[in-house]
Amino acid sequence: MSVLLTLWALLLLGAPGRGARPWEPCTDLRPLDILAEAVSTHSATDAVRTLQAQGVRGLQLASNAPHALSFPASRIFSRCDFFPEEFSIVITLKVPSLLPKKNEYLMTVLSEEQDTLLLGLRYSPTQLHFLFVSEDSAGTWQTRISFRSAALTDSQWHTLVLAVSAGSFSLASDCGPPLDIAADVPFPAALSVRGARFFVGSRKRTKGLFTGLLRQLVLLPGSDASSRVCPCRDAKLAVLSIPPILQGLAGTPEDNEVLRPPYETHMKVTLGSRPPCTKAEDAQFWFDAGRKGLFLCVGRQWVSVLAARERLDYVEEHQSLPTNAETLGVEVFAIPGAGLFVATANRKATSAIYKWTDGKFSSYQDIPTHQAQSWRYFTIGKQTFLAVANFEPNEKGQEFSVIYKWSRTKLRFRPYQRVATHSARDWEAFQMAGEHFLAVANHREGDNHNIDSVIYKWNPRTRLFEANQSIATSGAYDWEFFTVGPYSFLAVANAFNGTSTRLHSHLYVWLLGAFRLFQSFLTFGAADWEVFRIGERVFLAVANSHSYTAETQMQSDSYVINSVIYELNVTAQTFVTFQEIPTCSALDWEFFSVGEDYFLVVANSFDGHTFLVNSIIYRWQGYEGFVAAHSLPTFGCRDWETFSTAAGSYLVYSSAKEPLSRVLRLRTR
């Protein structure tokens, strides 16, 4: 049995190994606003004007600059050179009547070097044509998929969804039933867009220039967008992504015609400094393409009309941070007047603190530890503390975890209090009714995993933490404190009872001066609890790491297991299962937000065969729950932390398999 326990511990703790491959993200499965990208270019300033038709704003292209609304494909395909094999294109447009045999382009992707069309959308009076280049051993040719759409040129607004998947093509109009075409020639699996350029409303020339109004043009990789935009209250104006230049600008319809002066809105579009707001610009709009904000000139001042909504675009590696050894946990914190820091809990004899300097973390202080598992930062009044959970005994065979205090004169952390612990995994610091507490997760004592974990209370008289309550735990891995209204809760992640990881973790509520059992959850090697709120809703996520019993032994598929998100049912006064997410020996959850979007990132550590597995960022999608949005190659990932600076938002993760942590930057748009 002790051999099995050792093997299981090694899988969670890791040993030195080879580094992860560099991550090269492509587009991810997010809407790519082609129209907004095109309008954001320098040359778009005089190429469009905003007109109102039927109470809705749209963009009209100038006839003298067909190449102006364009941008290089590398702007949205920044990490790869291939157009997605499966995708949707969503278009909202108002098309005037066309002469017979006349065609106009909605969008094209052209190879700039050869001036050949790689992909395009054009329409005639009765059809919408999807064009793409095909290639095989016989040569290269252009394929055309044509959909009959008699109502397209009826001078009304329409929203079209073109969905492409292998050899299947479908077109849905105004959330109606799709028209499906099974073509002999499938869309290419690897259509290179290296050196290509997107053109909106043209094929780079005046002939075939789009003469209608365009409100929405969005590319959604990897998915049929119909489910994202339908059903909709106004199907003809179904929305996936509307550029800021058009948002919130609906007006009063005037006989179903494009409004004439003085109702036309002339739009200044710039990427650089703000233009002057003079008498000549009074009542005119200015779109700041750099910040994607809309302003109105009123009384010689630019007044914000529409603030840009910050959205997560993609994640990129910002810094590879060499650490003293494999890292089991990271803690990011800011000390007023001193700066931003990260503490790494390292497996070997020294852990470290790094300080954020010139946009990167640099070495600041080394602290002797004994296979440190995690750090916890907290304050009491004006005092600043940092507690480390030590897993192994010191040189004298004594098991102590240590609380360090920040010296405002030395600008360093100094030992403050030693606390006897047993293979400590985690500290949790919290306050209740003005009093300060620390809870330690004791994992095992010798081979006995069924031991007490302890809650300590700060004594203002002795200025020390003193034992306040003991709670029976089984291989405790993590504590999580949170409040709901007037009630305080403390959740423990029980990971192993000596024979099985299939056991109950518990949630306690503070009543009558002590924590008392509130609810139990069946978990599988629970390694972490994460509490978070979305609006008035309260969620609790558990990271399940491994399904093991003495009977089943260790099986490779026992690491690919669902982790669970629970939601508080206020009426029933209990947490109920909200969503189960497949994970690979999950060891940590981290919740964060970007703008109005909410995310969960999981630390996937092992899939039964390799430690080189992807950790996943999930985006909150309302009734759909959390949906995978970004895949991040990680190597024995153990812990995630998020932080923000004036320069932006970041994620940092620790690796239990190599002496290297990584800082990732969240790129927004």
Side-chain angles (χ1 to χ4, degrees):
M1 179 61 64
S2 61
V3 174
L4 291 175
L5 296 181
T6 302
L7 287 174
W8 182 67
L10 285 174
L11 290 174
L12 296 184
L13 296 175
R18 296 172 60 189
R21 295 189 301 268
W23 175 50
E24 292 295 333
C26 197
T27 59
D28 295 320
L29 305 182
R30 58 183 176 85
L32 303 171
D33 198 330
I34 306 299
L35 186 57
E37 292 290 347
V39 174
S40 298
T41 61
H42 286 283
S43 57
T45 306
D46 300 317
V48 295
R49 62 175 178 169
T50 306
L51 297 178
Q52 181 174 278
Q54 301 163 3
V56 178
R57 299 284 185 179
L59 293 179
Q60 184 181 70
L61 282 63
S63 60
N64 60 348
H67 60 280
L69 282 184
S70 69
F71 59 90
S74 59
R75 186 185 299 175
I76 58 175
F77 295 96
S78 57
R79 293 296 186 272
C80 71
D81 297 317
F82 296 102
F83 205 89
E85 183 180 4
E86 297 185 352
F87 61 91
S88 294
I89 299 176
V90 183
I91 316 107
T92 300
L93 73 174
K94 180 180 180 293
V95 178
S97 298
L98 294 182
L99 296 174
K101 297 185 179 180
K102 185 177 181 182
N103 286 264
E104 293 184 355
Y105 285 93
L106 294 172
M107 182 194 79
T108 57
V109 181
L110 301 179
S111 171
E112 291 200 279
E113 182 177 345
Q114 301 176 350
D115 196 28
T116 57
L117 187 144
L118 303 177
L119 179 146
L121 273 174
R122 76 167 189 248
Y123 65 93
S124 64
T126 59
Q127 290 183 309
L128 179 75
H129 308 284
F130 175 54
L131 316 170
F132 58 91
V133 67
S134 300
E135 184 176 3
D136 63 12
S137 58
T140 302
W141 67 93
Q142 189 179 99
T143 298
R144 183 178 68 188
I145 308 296
S146 299
F147 300 89
R148 288 199 170 275
S149 183
L152 184 60
T153 56
D154 60 359
S155 296
Q156 300 292 314
W157 285 104
H158 293 286
T159 293
L160 310 177
V161 179
L162 171 69
V164 177
S165 176
S168 176
F169 304 84
S170 70
L171 180 69
S173 178
D174 302 331
C175 290
L179 175 63
D180 297 314
I181 295 178
D184 295 333
V185 180
F187 188 79
L191 177 60
S192 175
V193 291
R194 180 188 291 271
R197 194 172 186 88
F198 278 79
F199 288 84
V200 173
S202 79
R203 195 195 183 285
K204 198 181 176 181
R205 53 181 70 112
T206 303
K207 183 179 179 180
L209 186 70
F210 178 64
T211 59
L213 293 180
L214 194 58
R215 178 171 173 82
Q216 178 175 215
L217 179 57
V218 187
L219 169 66
L220 180 65
S223 176
D224 183 351
S226 297
S227 61
R228 300 277 292 269
V229 300
C230 300
C232 178
R233 179 180 297 177
D234 188 352
K236 292 186 176 183
L237 295 169
V239 173
L240 182 60
S241 179
I242 297 294
I245 193 174
L246 295 173
Q247 292 176 7
L249 295 177
T252 303
E254 289 287 337
D255 301 324
N256 294 336
E257 294 293 335
V258 175
L259 296 185
R260 295 175 171 81
Y263 300 102
E264 291 185 356
T265 303
H266 297 285
M267 184 72 62
K268 292 183 178 291
V269 182
T270 67
L271 279 169
S273 60
R274 181 176 300 186
C277 173
T278 64
K279 186 176 181 180
E281 280 77 29
D282 191 48
Q284 301 301 309
F285 284 104
W286 166 61
F287 176 58
D288 184 343
R291 294 187 297 167
K292 295 189 177 178
L294 186 66
F295 300 84
L296 179 66
C297 181
V298 179
R300 299 182 182 275
Q301 287 187 343
W302 289 109
V303 178
S304 176
V305 175
L306 183 68
R309 180 186 176 188
E310 188 180 30
R311 296 182 64 89
L312 178 59
D313 193 3
Y314 61 92
V315 185
E316 65 180 5
E317 183 168 315
H318 178 75
Q319 180 185 6
S320 293
L321 181 63
T323 51
N324 294 331
E326 299 82 8
T327 303
L328 282 303
V330 288
E331 177 85 341
V332 179
F333 54 93
I335 300 177
L340 177 71
F341 301 86
V342 61
T344 61
N346 300 123
R347 293 185 67 246
K348 292 186 178 179
T350 303
S351 293
I353 298 174
Y354 303 84
K355 184 177 181 180
W356 186 261
T357 307
D358 296 329
K360 298 287 181 69
F361 283 114
S362 57
S363 181
Y364 186 80
Q365 182 181 359
D366 286 338
I367 295 179
T369 53
H370 303 280
Q371 201 174 124
Q373 302 292 296
S374 63
W375 288 97
R376 184 65 64 202
Y377 171 83
F378 61 96
T379 60
I380 298 177
K382 295 182 179 181
Q383 301 175 89
T384 299
F385 297 92
L386 194 60
V388 66
N390 284 322
F391 191 75
E392 295 292 342
N394 59 20
E395 297 80 1
K396 298 180 180 180
Q398 302 167 316
E399 285 195 68
F400 288 107
S401 292
V402 183
I403 302 170
Y404 295 85
K405 182 181 177 183
W406 176 257
S407 169
R408 284 178 283 183
T409 56
K410 301 291 186 180
L411 299 181
R412 291 290 188 274
F413 281 99
R414 301 299 185 194
Y416 183 79
Q417 181 181 354
R418 294 196 309 174
V419 180
T421 54
H422 302 289
S423 298
R425 291 283 193 183
D426 179 62
W427 283 107
E428 178 73 338
F430 54 95
Q431 295 183 55
M432 294 187 301
E435 296 184 306
H436 297 266
F437 297 83
L438 270 179
V440 67
N442 285 323
H443 187 69
R444 60 176 169 80
E445 186 175 7
D447 290 333
N448 181 19
H449 288 75
N450 300 302
I451 61 173
D452 286 349
S453 291
V454 183
I455 300 170
Y456 298 87
K457 181 179 178 181
W458 176 255
N459 186 329
R461 184 179 58 81
T462 62
R463 304 180 69 82
L464 294 172
F465 281 97
E466 300 172 353
N468 182 259
Q469 182 182 357
S470 294
I471 295 179
T473 53
S474 298
Y477 227 95
D478 178 67
W479 284 107
E480 181 80 351
F481 174 83
F482 62 98
T483 60
V484 179
Y487 298 101
S488 297
F489 294 90
L490 193 60
V492 66
N494 286 322
F496 191 58
N497 63 7
T499 60
S500 175
T501 63
R502 187 181 186 273
L503 68 161
H504 285 89
S505 294
H506 302 296
L507 177 64
Y508 301 89
V509 63
W510 181 261
L511 288 175
L512 304 175
F515 281 102
R516 305 177 190 277
L517 183 63
F518 178 80
Q519 186 177 351
S520 297
F521 306 85
L522 180 61
T523 54
F524 300 84
D528 178 64
W529 283 106
E530 177 80 354
V531 68
F532 57 93
R533 291 171 170 81
I534 298 178
E536 298 298 318
R537 303 169 71 175
V538 181
F539 297 89
L540 192 58
V542 65
N544 285 323
S545 68
H546 182 207
S547 178
Y548 163 83
T549 63
E551 291 77 20
T552 61
Q553 301 295 310
M554 298 178 66
Q555 300 175 6
S556 60
D557 61 354
S558 61
Y559 298 94
V560 180
I561 184 173
N562 287 345
S563 291
V564 185
I565 302 172
Y566 301 91
E567 181 179 6
L568 177 62
N569 184 317
V570 178
T571 303
Q573 296 186 5
T574 188
F575 280 90
V576 297
T577 299
F578 172 77
Q579 183 178 1
E580 296 188 6
I581 296 179
T583 52
C584 300
S585 192
L587 298 179
D588 184 55
W589 283 108
E590 182 74 9
F591 177 78
F592 64 97
S593 62
V594 176
E596 299 176 13
D597 292 326
Y598 301 98
F599 299 89
L600 270 177
V601 59
V602 65
N604 284 327
S605 66
F606 185 65
D607 65 0
H609 303 282
T610 178
F611 296 97
L612 189 61
V613 294
N614 290 341
S615 292
I616 308 295
I617 297 178
Y618 298 88
R619 177 187 284 114
W620 172 252
Q621 295 289 107
Y623 71 92
E624 295 181 68
F626 285 92
V627 177
H630 300 270
S631 183
L632 312 175
T634 51
F635 191 53
C637 187
R638 180 62 182 85
D639 191 22
W640 283 102
E641 286 284 302
T642 182
F643 65 96
S644 296
T645 71
S649 298
Y650 302 84
L651 288 169
V652 56
Y653 87 84
S654 64
S655 170
K657 298 300 295 180
E658 62 177 348
L660 193 69
S661 292
R662 299 181 188 273
V663 181
L664 308 178
R665 183 169 184 178
L666 306 179
R667 287 291 185 181
T668 59
R669 56 183 299 172

